[in-house]
Amino acid sequence: IAFSRNHKASIDVLDVSRNEIGVRGAMEFANMLGGSHKPFKQLKLHHNDFGDEGAMALANALAGNRFLESLELDHSNIEDEGVIALAGALAKNKCLERLDLAENKIGDRGAAGLAEMLQSNYVLRHVDLRDDSSWDGEMTEEGFRALGCAVQHNRVVESLW
């Protein structure tokens, strides 16, 4: 991380999944994403338990980021507040094409935030919201309906699962 931040390194894929980076680590990656240089195209942060607080830090950096194309945040204990923050940032983002939020705890409020974002984001092509049946998921028919409506009006999204 220090090399990329200090020497303006260019890396296509950075995979720090399953490294227990926590909230502090998510904040460090947010700082890198918010910088003016091109740190990497694909960031894999899955299986790192940083929750909503880490997702909000990443969201702050995503709004103006011009380089990241793929972000994997699956299995990161993100709930509605974190998803709403990410969706707000992605409404302004012009380069992220793939977002993986699978196996998080997304309910109807998070789904509504994503649906609203899809009304103004015409870059994001793939969104993974697959869910683990071992936790009591909060997304109901209302959330699924909001996402379905948004995808019907967004001609760019190729997959939402």
Short mmCIF file of all heavy atoms in Angstrom, two decimals, residues 71-136:
data_model
loop_
_atom_site.label_atom_id
_atom_site.label_comp_id
_atom_site.label_asym_id
_atom_site.label_seq_id
_atom_site.Cartn_x
_atom_site.Cartn_y
_atom_site.Cartn_z
N LEU A 71 -15.03 -3.35 -8.34
CA LEU A 71 -14.89 -3.31 -6.89
C LEU A 71 -15.63 -4.49 -6.28
O LEU A 71 -16.83 -4.65 -6.48
CB LEU A 71 -15.45 -1.99 -6.34
CG LEU A 71 -15.37 -1.77 -4.83
CD1 LEU A 71 -13.92 -1.82 -4.34
CD2 LEU A 71 -16.02 -0.44 -4.47
N GLU A 72 -14.90 -5.32 -5.55
CA GLU A 72 -15.47 -6.51 -4.92
C GLU A 72 -15.54 -6.30 -3.41
O GLU A 72 -14.51 -6.25 -2.74
CB GLU A 72 -14.65 -7.75 -5.26
CG GLU A 72 -14.66 -8.08 -6.73
CD GLU A 72 -13.86 -9.31 -7.08
OE1 GLU A 72 -13.54 -10.12 -6.19
OE2 GLU A 72 -13.53 -9.45 -8.28
N LEU A 73 -16.76 -6.17 -2.91
CA LEU A 73 -16.99 -5.93 -1.49
C LEU A 73 -17.87 -7.03 -0.88
O LEU A 73 -18.46 -6.82 0.18
CB LEU A 73 -17.67 -4.57 -1.29
CG LEU A 73 -16.93 -3.36 -1.82
CD1 LEU A 73 -17.78 -2.10 -1.66
CD2 LEU A 73 -15.60 -3.20 -1.12
N ASP A 74 -17.94 -8.16 -1.54
CA ASP A 74 -18.78 -9.23 -1.01
C ASP A 74 -18.24 -9.74 0.32
O ASP A 74 -17.07 -9.59 0.63
CB ASP A 74 -18.92 -10.37 -2.02
CG ASP A 74 -17.61 -10.89 -2.55
OD1 ASP A 74 -16.90 -10.14 -3.25
OD2 ASP A 74 -17.26 -12.04 -2.26
N HIS A 75 -19.13 -10.31 1.12
CA HIS A 75 -18.78 -10.87 2.43
C HIS A 75 -18.07 -9.85 3.33
O HIS A 75 -17.08 -10.16 3.97
CB HIS A 75 -17.88 -12.10 2.28
CG HIS A 75 -18.52 -13.24 1.58
ND1 HIS A 75 -18.50 -13.36 0.21
CD2 HIS A 75 -19.21 -14.30 2.04
CE1 HIS A 75 -19.14 -14.46 -0.14
NE2 HIS A 75 -19.59 -15.06 0.95
N SER A 76 -18.56 -8.62 3.37
CA SER A 76 -17.89 -7.58 4.14
C SER A 76 -18.76 -6.99 5.24
O SER A 76 -18.44 -5.95 5.80
CB SER A 76 -17.39 -6.47 3.21
OG SER A 76 -16.41 -6.98 2.34
N ASN A 77 -19.89 -7.64 5.52
CA ASN A 77 -20.79 -7.22 6.60
C ASN A 77 -21.37 -5.82 6.37
O ASN A 77 -21.55 -5.04 7.30
CB ASN A 77 -20.08 -7.31 7.96
CG ASN A 77 -21.06 -7.40 9.10
OD1 ASN A 77 -22.18 -7.90 8.95
ND2 ASN A 77 -20.66 -6.92 10.26
N ILE A 78 -21.66 -5.50 5.12
CA ILE A 78 -22.23 -4.21 4.77
C ILE A 78 -23.75 -4.30 4.83
O ILE A 78 -24.34 -5.23 4.29
CB ILE A 78 -21.77 -3.77 3.37
CG1 ILE A 78 -20.24 -3.69 3.31
CG2 ILE A 78 -22.39 -2.43 2.99
CD1 ILE A 78 -19.69 -3.50 1.91
N GLU A 79 -24.35 -3.32 5.47
CA GLU A 79 -25.81 -3.27 5.58
C GLU A 79 -26.32 -2.05 4.82
O GLU A 79 -25.60 -1.44 4.04
CB GLU A 79 -26.21 -3.24 7.06
CG GLU A 79 -25.76 -4.52 7.78
CD GLU A 79 -26.21 -4.60 9.23
OE1 GLU A 79 -27.23 -3.98 9.58
OE2 GLU A 79 -25.51 -5.28 10.01
N ASP A 80 -27.58 -1.71 5.03
CA ASP A 80 -28.23 -0.65 4.24
C ASP A 80 -27.48 0.68 4.25
O ASP A 80 -27.35 1.32 3.21
CB ASP A 80 -29.67 -0.44 4.72
CG ASP A 80 -30.60 -1.53 4.24
OD1 ASP A 80 -30.23 -2.29 3.32
OD2 ASP A 80 -31.71 -1.63 4.79
N GLU A 81 -27.01 1.12 5.41
CA GLU A 81 -26.35 2.44 5.46
C GLU A 81 -25.12 2.49 4.56
O GLU A 81 -24.90 3.48 3.86
CB GLU A 81 -25.97 2.79 6.91
CG GLU A 81 -27.16 3.00 7.83
CD GLU A 81 -28.16 4.02 7.32
OE1 GLU A 81 -27.73 5.09 6.84
OE2 GLU A 81 -29.36 3.75 7.39
N GLY A 82 -24.33 1.44 4.58
CA GLY A 82 -23.15 1.39 3.72
C GLY A 82 -23.52 1.33 2.25
O GLY A 82 -22.88 1.97 1.41
N VAL A 83 -24.56 0.55 1.92
CA VAL A 83 -25.00 0.43 0.53
C VAL A 83 -25.56 1.76 0.03
O VAL A 83 -25.30 2.17 -1.10
CB VAL A 83 -26.04 -0.70 0.39
CG1 VAL A 83 -26.65 -0.71 -1.00
CG2 VAL A 83 -25.40 -2.05 0.69
N ILE A 84 -26.30 2.45 0.87
CA ILE A 84 -26.85 3.75 0.48
C ILE A 84 -25.72 4.74 0.21
O ILE A 84 -25.77 5.51 -0.76
CB ILE A 84 -27.82 4.27 1.57
CG1 ILE A 84 -29.09 3.42 1.57
CG2 ILE A 84 -28.14 5.75 1.36
CD1 ILE A 84 -29.99 3.63 2.78
N ALA A 85 -24.68 4.73 1.02
CA ALA A 85 -23.53 5.61 0.79
C ALA A 85 -22.83 5.25 -0.52
O ALA A 85 -22.49 6.14 -1.31
CB ALA A 85 -22.55 5.51 1.96
N LEU A 86 -22.62 3.96 -0.77
CA LEU A 86 -21.99 3.53 -2.02
C LEU A 86 -22.85 3.95 -3.22
O LEU A 86 -22.33 4.43 -4.22
CB LEU A 86 -21.79 2.02 -2.02
CG LEU A 86 -20.70 1.50 -1.09
CD1 LEU A 86 -20.82 -0.01 -0.91
CD2 LEU A 86 -19.32 1.87 -1.60
N ALA A 87 -24.16 3.75 -3.12
CA ALA A 87 -25.05 4.11 -4.21
C ALA A 87 -25.01 5.61 -4.50
O ALA A 87 -24.99 6.02 -5.66
CB ALA A 87 -26.48 3.67 -3.88
N GLY A 88 -24.98 6.41 -3.46
CA GLY A 88 -24.88 7.85 -3.64
C GLY A 88 -23.62 8.25 -4.38
O GLY A 88 -23.64 9.12 -5.26
N ALA A 89 -22.52 7.60 -4.05
CA ALA A 89 -21.25 7.89 -4.72
C ALA A 89 -21.28 7.41 -6.17
O ALA A 89 -20.80 8.09 -7.07
CB ALA A 89 -20.10 7.24 -3.97
N LEU A 90 -21.86 6.25 -6.39
CA LEU A 90 -21.89 5.68 -7.74
C LEU A 90 -22.82 6.44 -8.67
O LEU A 90 -22.70 6.33 -9.90
CB LEU A 90 -22.24 4.20 -7.69
CG LEU A 90 -21.15 3.33 -7.07
CD1 LEU A 90 -21.61 1.89 -6.94
CD2 LEU A 90 -19.86 3.41 -7.87
N ALA A 91 -23.73 7.21 -8.12
CA ALA A 91 -24.58 8.04 -8.96
C ALA A 91 -23.73 9.09 -9.69
O ALA A 91 -24.11 9.57 -10.76
CB ALA A 91 -25.67 8.72 -8.12
N LYS A 92 -22.57 9.42 -9.11
CA LYS A 92 -21.68 10.43 -9.69
C LYS A 92 -20.48 9.80 -10.41
O LYS A 92 -19.80 10.46 -11.18
CB LYS A 92 -21.16 11.35 -8.59
CG LYS A 92 -22.25 12.05 -7.82
CD LYS A 92 -21.68 12.73 -6.59
CE LYS A 92 -22.82 13.18 -5.70
NZ LYS A 92 -22.49 13.19 -4.31
N ASN A 93 -20.20 8.54 -10.12
CA ASN A 93 -19.03 7.86 -10.65
C ASN A 93 -19.21 7.58 -12.14
O ASN A 93 -20.27 7.17 -12.57
CB ASN A 93 -18.81 6.55 -9.88
CG ASN A 93 -17.58 5.82 -10.34
OD1 ASN A 93 -17.62 5.17 -11.37
ND2 ASN A 93 -16.51 5.92 -9.59
N LYS A 94 -18.14 7.76 -12.91
CA LYS A 94 -18.21 7.60 -14.36
C LYS A 94 -17.32 6.49 -14.89
O LYS A 94 -17.06 6.44 -16.09
CB LYS A 94 -17.84 8.92 -15.06
CG LYS A 94 -18.69 10.10 -14.65
CD LYS A 94 -20.14 9.89 -15.01
CE LYS A 94 -20.96 11.10 -14.62
NZ LYS A 94 -22.29 10.79 -14.19
N CYS A 95 -16.84 5.59 -14.04
CA CYS A 95 -15.95 4.55 -14.57
C CYS A 95 -16.19 3.15 -14.00
O CYS A 95 -15.83 2.18 -14.66
CB CYS A 95 -14.49 4.95 -14.37
SG CYS A 95 -14.03 5.11 -12.66
N LEU A 96 -16.77 3.00 -12.83
CA LEU A 96 -16.95 1.67 -12.25
C LEU A 96 -17.98 0.88 -13.06
O LEU A 96 -19.11 1.30 -13.22
CB LEU A 96 -17.39 1.75 -10.78
CG LEU A 96 -17.26 0.43 -10.01
CD1 LEU A 96 -15.79 0.15 -9.69
CD2 LEU A 96 -18.07 0.46 -8.74
N GLU A 97 -17.55 -0.27 -13.57
CA GLU A 97 -18.42 -1.10 -14.40
C GLU A 97 -18.94 -2.33 -13.66
O GLU A 97 -19.94 -2.91 -14.07
CB GLU A 97 -17.66 -1.57 -15.64
CG GLU A 97 -17.27 -0.43 -16.56
CD GLU A 97 -16.51 -0.91 -17.78
OE1 GLU A 97 -16.29 -2.13 -17.94
OE2 GLU A 97 -16.11 -0.05 -18.58
N ARG A 98 -18.25 -2.77 -12.60
CA ARG A 98 -18.64 -4.00 -11.90
C ARG A 98 -18.57 -3.76 -10.39
O ARG A 98 -17.57 -3.28 -9.87
CB ARG A 98 -17.69 -5.13 -12.30
CG ARG A 98 -17.98 -6.45 -11.61
CD ARG A 98 -17.05 -7.55 -12.11
NE ARG A 98 -17.16 -7.76 -13.54
CZ ARG A 98 -18.05 -8.57 -14.13
NH1 ARG A 98 -18.92 -9.22 -13.39
NH2 ARG A 98 -18.07 -8.71 -15.45
N LEU A 99 -19.68 -4.10 -9.72
CA LEU A 99 -19.77 -3.97 -8.27
C LEU A 99 -20.28 -5.27 -7.69
O LEU A 99 -21.35 -5.75 -8.06
CB LEU A 99 -20.72 -2.82 -7.89
CG LEU A 99 -20.98 -2.61 -6.40
CD1 LEU A 99 -19.70 -2.21 -5.66
CD2 LEU A 99 -22.07 -1.56 -6.20
N ASP A 100 -19.53 -5.83 -6.76
CA ASP A 100 -19.93 -7.08 -6.11
C ASP A 100 -20.24 -6.81 -4.65
O ASP A 100 -19.36 -6.46 -3.87
CB ASP A 100 -18.80 -8.12 -6.23
CG ASP A 100 -19.21 -9.50 -5.74
OD1 ASP A 100 -20.27 -9.63 -5.07
OD2 ASP A 100 -18.47 -10.46 -6.01
N LEU A 101 -21.51 -6.93 -4.31
CA LEU A 101 -21.97 -6.76 -2.93
C LEU A 101 -22.63 -8.04 -2.41
O LEU A 101 -23.41 -8.01 -1.47
CB LEU A 101 -22.98 -5.61 -2.85
CG LEU A 101 -22.43 -4.21 -3.04
CD1 LEU A 101 -23.56 -3.20 -3.19
CD2 LEU A 101 -21.53 -3.84 -1.87
N ALA A 102 -22.31 -9.16 -3.02
CA ALA A 102 -22.93 -10.44 -2.63
C ALA A 102 -22.63 -10.77 -1.17
O ALA A 102 -21.62 -10.34 -0.61
CB ALA A 102 -22.42 -11.57 -3.53
N GLU A 103 -23.54 -11.52 -0.59
CA GLU A 103 -23.37 -12.05 0.76
C GLU A 103 -23.21 -10.97 1.82
O GLU A 103 -22.51 -11.15 2.81
CB GLU A 103 -22.18 -13.02 0.82
CG GLU A 103 -22.21 -14.10 -0.22
CD GLU A 103 -23.23 -15.19 0.02
OE1 GLU A 103 -23.69 -15.34 1.16
OE2 GLU A 103 -23.56 -15.88 -0.95
N ASN A 104 -23.85 -9.82 1.61
CA ASN A 104 -23.92 -8.78 2.62
C ASN A 104 -25.35 -8.75 3.15
O ASN A 104 -26.16 -9.61 2.80
CB ASN A 104 -23.49 -7.43 2.04
CG ASN A 104 -21.98 -7.33 1.91
OD1 ASN A 104 -21.27 -7.34 2.89
ND2 ASN A 104 -21.50 -7.24 0.69
N LYS A 105 -25.67 -7.81 3.98
CA LYS A 105 -26.99 -7.78 4.62
C LYS A 105 -27.82 -6.60 4.10
O LYS A 105 -28.12 -5.67 4.82
CB LYS A 105 -26.82 -7.70 6.13
CG LYS A 105 -26.06 -8.89 6.68
CD LYS A 105 -25.80 -8.78 8.16
CE LYS A 105 -25.02 -9.99 8.63
NZ LYS A 105 -24.66 -9.89 10.03
N ILE A 106 -28.19 -6.69 2.84
CA ILE A 106 -28.87 -5.60 2.17
C ILE A 106 -30.38 -5.77 2.27
O ILE A 106 -30.91 -6.81 1.88
CB ILE A 106 -28.44 -5.52 0.69
CG1 ILE A 106 -26.92 -5.35 0.61
CG2 ILE A 106 -29.15 -4.38 -0.01
CD1 ILE A 106 -26.35 -5.54 -0.77
N GLY A 107 -31.03 -4.76 2.77
CA GLY A 107 -32.49 -4.77 2.90
C GLY A 107 -33.14 -3.88 1.87
O GLY A 107 -32.51 -3.42 0.91
N ASP A 108 -34.40 -3.57 2.10
CA ASP A 108 -35.17 -2.75 1.16
C ASP A 108 -34.62 -1.34 1.02
O ASP A 108 -34.63 -0.78 -0.08
CB ASP A 108 -36.64 -2.69 1.59
CG ASP A 108 -37.37 -4.00 1.38
OD1 ASP A 108 -36.88 -4.84 0.58
OD2 ASP A 108 -38.42 -4.20 2.01
N ARG A 109 -34.12 -0.76 2.10
CA ARG A 109 -33.58 0.61 2.00
C ARG A 109 -32.32 0.63 1.14
O ARG A 109 -32.12 1.53 0.32
CB ARG A 109 -33.29 1.18 3.38
CG ARG A 109 -34.56 1.49 4.15
CD ARG A 109 -34.35 2.20 5.49
NE ARG A 109 -33.18 1.79 6.25
CZ ARG A 109 -32.10 2.58 6.48
NH1 ARG A 109 -32.08 3.82 6.05
NH2 ARG A 109 -31.08 2.12 7.18
N GLY A 110 -31.47 -0.36 1.30
CA GLY A 110 -30.27 -0.45 0.47
C GLY A 110 -30.63 -0.69 -0.98
O GLY A 110 -30.04 -0.10 -1.89
N ALA A 111 -31.62 -1.57 -1.22
CA ALA A 111 -32.08 -1.84 -2.59
C ALA A 111 -32.64 -0.58 -3.22
O ALA A 111 -32.39 -0.29 -4.39
CB ALA A 111 -33.13 -2.95 -2.57
N ALA A 112 -33.40 0.21 -2.45
CA ALA A 112 -33.95 1.47 -2.96
C ALA A 112 -32.84 2.44 -3.33
O ALA A 112 -32.91 3.15 -4.35
CB ALA A 112 -34.90 2.10 -1.94
N GLY A 113 -31.79 2.51 -2.53
CA GLY A 113 -30.65 3.36 -2.83
C GLY A 113 -29.96 2.94 -4.12
O GLY A 113 -29.60 3.78 -4.96
N LEU A 114 -29.78 1.64 -4.29
CA LEU A 114 -29.17 1.14 -5.53
C LEU A 114 -30.06 1.42 -6.73
O LEU A 114 -29.58 1.81 -7.80
CB LEU A 114 -28.90 -0.36 -5.41
CG LEU A 114 -27.76 -0.76 -4.47
CD1 LEU A 114 -27.75 -2.27 -4.26
CD2 LEU A 114 -26.41 -0.29 -5.01
N ALA A 115 -31.37 1.23 -6.55
CA ALA A 115 -32.31 1.48 -7.65
C ALA A 115 -32.28 2.95 -8.07
O ALA A 115 -32.27 3.26 -9.27
CB ALA A 115 -33.73 1.08 -7.22
N GLU A 116 -32.22 3.84 -7.11
CA GLU A 116 -32.14 5.27 -7.43
C GLU A 116 -30.85 5.59 -8.18
O GLU A 116 -30.85 6.36 -9.14
CB GLU A 116 -32.24 6.09 -6.15
CG GLU A 116 -32.28 7.57 -6.38
CD GLU A 116 -32.46 8.37 -5.10
OE1 GLU A 116 -33.04 7.84 -4.13
OE2 GLU A 116 -32.02 9.52 -5.07
N MET A 117 -29.75 4.99 -7.73
CA MET A 117 -28.46 5.22 -8.39
C MET A 117 -28.50 4.75 -9.84
O MET A 117 -27.97 5.40 -10.72
CB MET A 117 -27.36 4.49 -7.62
CG MET A 117 -26.00 4.48 -8.27
SD MET A 117 -25.68 3.09 -9.39
CE MET A 117 -25.80 1.69 -8.32
N LEU A 118 -29.15 3.62 -10.09
CA LEU A 118 -29.21 3.08 -11.45
C LEU A 118 -29.99 3.97 -12.41
O LEU A 118 -29.88 3.82 -13.62
CB LEU A 118 -29.80 1.66 -11.43
CG LEU A 118 -28.88 0.60 -10.83
CD1 LEU A 118 -29.63 -0.72 -10.66
CD2 LEU A 118 -27.61 0.42 -11.65
N GLN A 119 -30.73 4.91 -11.89
CA GLN A 119 -31.47 5.84 -12.74
C GLN A 119 -30.56 6.93 -13.32
O GLN A 119 -30.92 7.57 -14.31
CB GLN A 119 -32.61 6.47 -11.97
CG GLN A 119 -33.68 5.47 -11.61
CD GLN A 119 -34.78 6.07 -10.76
OE1 GLN A 119 -34.94 7.28 -10.69
NE2 GLN A 119 -35.54 5.21 -10.11
N SER A 120 -29.38 7.12 -12.72
CA SER A 120 -28.49 8.15 -13.23
C SER A 120 -27.11 7.63 -13.60
O SER A 120 -26.32 8.36 -14.19
CB SER A 120 -28.34 9.28 -12.19
OG SER A 120 -27.79 8.76 -11.00
N ASN A 121 -26.80 6.40 -13.27
CA ASN A 121 -25.49 5.82 -13.60
C ASN A 121 -25.65 4.97 -14.86
O ASN A 121 -26.37 3.98 -14.85
CB ASN A 121 -24.98 4.96 -12.44
CG ASN A 121 -23.61 4.36 -12.74
OD1 ASN A 121 -23.42 3.72 -13.76
ND2 ASN A 121 -22.69 4.55 -11.82
N TYR A 122 -24.94 5.37 -15.90
CA TYR A 122 -25.01 4.63 -17.16
C TYR A 122 -23.66 4.04 -17.52
O TYR A 122 -23.34 3.90 -18.71
CB TYR A 122 -25.55 5.53 -18.27
CG TYR A 122 -26.98 5.90 -18.01
CD1 TYR A 122 -27.31 7.14 -17.50
CD2 TYR A 122 -28.00 4.97 -18.21
CE1 TYR A 122 -28.64 7.47 -17.22
CE2 TYR A 122 -29.32 5.29 -17.93
CZ TYR A 122 -29.63 6.54 -17.44
OH TYR A 122 -30.93 6.85 -17.16
N VAL A 123 -22.90 3.67 -16.50
CA VAL A 123 -21.60 3.03 -16.70
C VAL A 123 -21.59 1.64 -16.07
O VAL A 123 -21.05 0.69 -16.65
CB VAL A 123 -20.47 3.90 -16.09
CG1 VAL A 123 -19.12 3.24 -16.26
CG2 VAL A 123 -20.47 5.28 -16.71
N LEU A 124 -22.19 1.50 -14.93
CA LEU A 124 -22.20 0.24 -14.18
C LEU A 124 -22.95 -0.82 -14.98
O LEU A 124 -24.11 -0.65 -15.33
CB LEU A 124 -22.87 0.46 -12.82
CG LEU A 124 -22.72 -0.63 -11.78
CD1 LEU A 124 -21.26 -0.86 -11.42
CD2 LEU A 124 -23.51 -0.26 -10.53
N ARG A 125 -22.25 -1.93 -15.28
CA ARG A 125 -22.83 -2.98 -16.12
C ARG A 125 -23.21 -4.23 -15.35
O ARG A 125 -24.12 -4.95 -15.75
CB ARG A 125 -21.86 -3.36 -17.23
CG ARG A 125 -21.57 -2.23 -18.18
CD ARG A 125 -20.62 -2.68 -19.29
NE ARG A 125 -20.32 -1.60 -20.19
CZ ARG A 125 -21.11 -1.20 -21.17
NH1 ARG A 125 -22.27 -1.77 -21.35
NH2 ARG A 125 -20.75 -0.21 -21.96
N HIS A 126 -22.48 -4.52 -14.29
CA HIS A 126 -22.70 -5.76 -13.55
C HIS A 126 -22.78 -5.47 -12.05
O HIS A 126 -21.87 -4.86 -11.49
CB HIS A 126 -21.54 -6.74 -13.81
CG HIS A 126 -21.29 -6.98 -15.26
ND1 HIS A 126 -22.05 -7.82 -16.02
CD2 HIS A 126 -20.37 -6.46 -16.10
CE1 HIS A 126 -21.60 -7.83 -17.26
NE2 HIS A 126 -20.58 -6.99 -17.34
N VAL A 127 -23.86 -5.93 -11.43
CA VAL A 127 -24.05 -5.77 -9.99
C VAL A 127 -24.40 -7.13 -9.42
O VAL A 127 -25.37 -7.76 -9.85
CB VAL A 127 -25.17 -4.76 -9.66
CG1 VAL A 127 -25.29 -4.57 -8.16
CG2 VAL A 127 -24.92 -3.42 -10.34
N ASP A 128 -23.62 -7.58 -8.44
CA ASP A 128 -23.87 -8.87 -7.81
C ASP A 128 -24.41 -8.63 -6.40
O ASP A 128 -23.71 -8.08 -5.55
CB ASP A 128 -22.58 -9.69 -7.76
CG ASP A 128 -22.79 -11.12 -7.31
OD1 ASP A 128 -23.88 -11.43 -6.78
OD2 ASP A 128 -21.85 -11.92 -7.46
N LEU A 129 -25.64 -9.03 -6.18
CA LEU A 129 -26.29 -8.89 -4.88
C LEU A 129 -26.70 -10.25 -4.33
O LEU A 129 -27.56 -10.34 -3.47
CB LEU A 129 -27.54 -8.00 -4.99
CG LEU A 129 -27.34 -6.59 -5.49
CD1 LEU A 129 -28.67 -5.89 -5.68
CD2 LEU A 129 -26.46 -5.81 -4.52
N ARG A 130 -26.09 -11.31 -4.85
CA ARG A 130 -26.47 -12.64 -4.38
C ARG A 130 -26.35 -12.70 -2.88
O ARG A 130 -25.48 -12.09 -2.28
CB ARG A 130 -25.61 -13.71 -5.03
CG ARG A 130 -26.02 -14.00 -6.44
CD ARG A 130 -25.16 -15.02 -7.05
NE ARG A 130 -23.86 -14.41 -7.32
CZ ARG A 130 -22.86 -15.03 -7.91
NH1 ARG A 130 -22.99 -16.27 -8.27
NH2 ARG A 130 -21.73 -14.40 -8.14
N ASP A 131 -27.21 -13.49 -2.31
CA ASP A 131 -27.42 -13.44 -0.88
C ASP A 131 -27.28 -14.82 -0.27
O ASP A 131 -27.55 -15.82 -0.91
CB ASP A 131 -28.82 -12.82 -0.72
CG ASP A 131 -29.52 -13.18 0.54
OD1 ASP A 131 -29.03 -12.79 1.58
OD2 ASP A 131 -30.56 -13.83 0.44
N ASP A 132 -26.85 -14.87 0.95
CA ASP A 132 -26.66 -16.13 1.67
C ASP A 132 -27.92 -16.42 2.48
O ASP A 132 -28.32 -15.63 3.32
CB ASP A 132 -25.45 -15.99 2.59
CG ASP A 132 -25.14 -17.24 3.37
OD1 ASP A 132 -25.88 -18.23 3.24
OD2 ASP A 132 -24.16 -17.22 4.10
N SER A 133 -28.51 -17.57 2.27
CA SER A 133 -29.75 -17.91 2.97
C SER A 133 -29.53 -18.24 4.44
O SER A 133 -30.48 -18.45 5.17
CB SER A 133 -30.45 -19.07 2.26
OG SER A 133 -29.61 -20.21 2.29
N SER A 134 -28.30 -18.26 4.90
CA SER A 134 -28.06 -18.59 6.30
C SER A 134 -28.33 -17.42 7.25
O SER A 134 -28.38 -17.59 8.44
CB SER A 134 -26.62 -19.08 6.50
OG SER A 134 -25.72 -18.03 6.28
N TRP A 135 -28.47 -16.20 6.73
CA TRP A 135 -28.85 -15.06 7.58
C TRP A 135 -30.24 -14.62 7.18
O TRP A 135 -30.71 -14.90 6.09
CB TRP A 135 -27.85 -13.91 7.51
CG TRP A 135 -27.72 -13.25 6.18
CD1 TRP A 135 -26.89 -13.58 5.17
CD2 TRP A 135 -28.48 -12.13 5.70
NE1 TRP A 135 -27.07 -12.75 4.10
CE2 TRP A 135 -28.04 -11.85 4.40
CE3 TRP A 135 -29.47 -11.33 6.25
CZ2 TRP A 135 -28.55 -10.82 3.64
CZ3 TRP A 135 -29.99 -10.31 5.48
CH2 TRP A 135 -29.52 -10.06 4.20
N ASP A 136 -30.91 -13.95 8.06
CA ASP A 136 -32.27 -13.50 7.78
C ASP A 136 -32.23 -12.24 6.93
O ASP A 136 -32.20 -11.14 7.44
CB ASP A 136 -33.02 -13.21 9.09
CG ASP A 136 -33.24 -14.47 9.88
OD1 ASP A 136 -33.40 -15.53 9.25
OD2 ASP A 136 -33.26 -14.40 11.12
#
